[in-house]
Amino acid sequence: MARPQPPGPFPPLQPGQQPTPDQIRQMQQQIAAEAQKAGISVPQYVERLKAQAQQNHQRMQMMQQQQRAQQQQQGQQQMQQGGAQPGQQVPIAPGPPKPEALAVAAFLRSQNLKLRTCIFQEKRKDMFKVKRAIRALHSPAYEKARKKNSLLPEVKDRVTAENTFKLLPLSLLALRVSKVDDKGHEGHAHAKKKRVKGLWTVKVEPQQEAGDEFHYVWLFEGSQWKNKLYAVGALALILAVVFFPVWPYHLRLGVWYLSMGMLGLLGLFFAMAIFRLILFLITMFAKPPGLWLFPNLFEDVGFFDSFKPVWAWHEDEKAVKRRKKDERDRKRTKRAEKAAGGGAKADTKSEKPAIEPAPTSSKPNTASAPGTVSAPMNGNVATQQQNLTSRVEEVEDN
């Protein structure tokens, strides 16, 4: 009697395709044959298959993790050793801040990157261009800082400078941003927000590249010890005010005298403001245009400049504009004279007084001898020299 042929391999199934009853029957027969060959029951064979599949899955995950770790380690070694080839760049995968990134951020924060203020996530942040950061990484100041801080990576060329700069977005210390278009939605008549000239509203770009003209926004605030100190001082002040009733008697008495003195100064200021207004109203009718005491008292100037000059006559808008115009003209004329002063000095020094020939008489008896000059001629030369000297002194005074 002929033995039945073992079933063939499982028929291939497409993703999402349901097996037919014949295919299910063939699978069951093959599993039963494999279990009989191994000398175990069908449920035990199925459990063995599940365990093998789970082991294979875990092995694949471990291999993928090892490959990713090797790639990151190779990228860090290339960035630290400067072994990147021209055109080769390290990919960006954000993670927790690294000590090297914090050192680079602290160095760039101390440099003059010509920061601009922008609005990022409804907050004011500092923004800079990549080319200035790359220039700072190539500067002698960076080499000097590397001697003091060994965490700063070595920068040899443009590629290593870019890879060093990319430590910032890797650690989320600075991110590339672009300007947001403030136009309203299509089909809606939303009122535009009041925009300050030169103040950008920015958004994060998905591609964190290091082009020269790209803008980055600082998320690294640096050392916060000043803010912490201010917070502690504010808290101490609040506690001091709250516990005022338990202060010592002499201390409370001193605070009372101090507060009375401050109130007296404030009252004196208001009294002076009222007195100067009354004085102006009286002099406006008695002797127009009126006299102001401390005319700069309410102007946007310093404390001491508010009391200079002591008094001045009132000026209307036309007089103020005329005075400012005269001051601008005076400054412009002074600058022009100073610029032309050097050329005028040189031209004046190079001039020579022209001596006119002595007038000769028609009579031979009165003709002067050759090589002699008459007395009137000598007087004329002295006058010309004196005029020339005065002209030179005037130019030098200007």
Side-chain angles (χ1 to χ4, degrees), residues 261-275:
M262 296 296 295
L263 288 176
L265 289 176
L266 187 62
L268 182 62
F269 177 80
F270 280 107
M272 183 175 58
I274 295 172
F275 174 75

Side-chain angles (χ1 to χ4, degrees), residues 13 37 63 68 90 117 128 139 151-152 179 203 218 221 253 255 263 291 372 388 390:
L13 297 176
K37 186 185 297 184
M63 292 177 60
R68 285 196 295 266
V90 178
T117 303
F128 63 95
S139 64
L151 293 175
L152 292 173
K179 186 178 180 182
K203 63 178 181 179
W218 276 116
E221 300 295 340
L253 186 62
V255 172
L263 288 176
L291 181 73
T372 62
L388 181 61
S390 61

Side-chain angles (χ1 to χ4, degrees), residues 256-303:
W256 184 83
Y257 280 122
L258 182 62
S259 60
M260 290 298 103
M262 296 296 295
L263 288 176
L265 289 176
L266 187 62
L268 182 62
F269 177 80
F270 280 107
M272 183 175 58
I274 295 172
F275 174 75
R276 68 191 291 270
L277 179 60
I278 295 174
L279 179 63
F280 169 73
L281 293 176
I282 293 175
T283 54
M284 184 176 62
F285 295 100
K287 193 173 183 180
L291 181 73
W292 279 111
L293 184 66
F294 302 122
N296 294 326
L297 186 63
F298 296 103
E299 296 295 331
D300 188 13
V301 293
F303 176 78

Side-chain angles (χ1 to χ4, degrees), residues 100-155:
E100 298 84 358
L102 293 173
V104 173
F107 170 76
L108 292 178
R109 265 296 195 179
S110 64
Q111 301 300 305
N112 182 17
L113 302 182
K114 295 184 179 179
L115 301 176
R116 291 180 55 182
T117 303
C118 64
I119 303 298
F120 177 67
Q121 296 180 351
E122 304 298 331
K123 296 181 181 179
R124 288 178 178 264
K125 297 289 185 179
D126 293 330
M127 183 175 62
F128 63 95
K129 277 189 176 182
V130 175
K131 64 179 182 181
R132 296 192 176 94
I134 299 295
R135 196 178 302 157
L137 293 176
H138 284 291
S139 64
Y142 183 77
E143 294 297 329
K144 187 177 180 180
R146 282 193 71 248
K147 296 178 181 178
K148 298 180 180 179
N149 190 355
S150 59
L151 293 175
L152 292 173
E154 185 179 3
V155 175

Side-chain angles (χ1 to χ4, degrees), residues 215-280:
H215 291 86
Y216 273 71
V217 64
W218 276 116
L219 303 180
F220 174 72
E221 300 295 340
S223 179
Q224 299 295 320
W225 66 270
K226 288 186 178 180
N227 294 336
K228 294 178 181 178
L229 186 62
Y230 293 155
V232 172
L235 182 60
L237 182 62
I238 292 173
L239 291 176
V241 173
V242 170
F243 287 99
F244 178 77
V246 298
W247 284 16
Y249 173 75
H250 297 288
L251 193 59
R252 284 184 293 167
L253 186 62
V255 172
W256 184 83
Y257 280 122
L258 182 62
S259 60
M260 290 298 103
M262 296 296 295
L263 288 176
L265 289 176
L266 187 62
L268 182 62
F269 177 80
F270 280 107
M272 183 175 58
I274 295 172
F275 174 75
R276 68 191 291 270
L277 179 60
I278 295 174
L279 179 63
F280 169 73

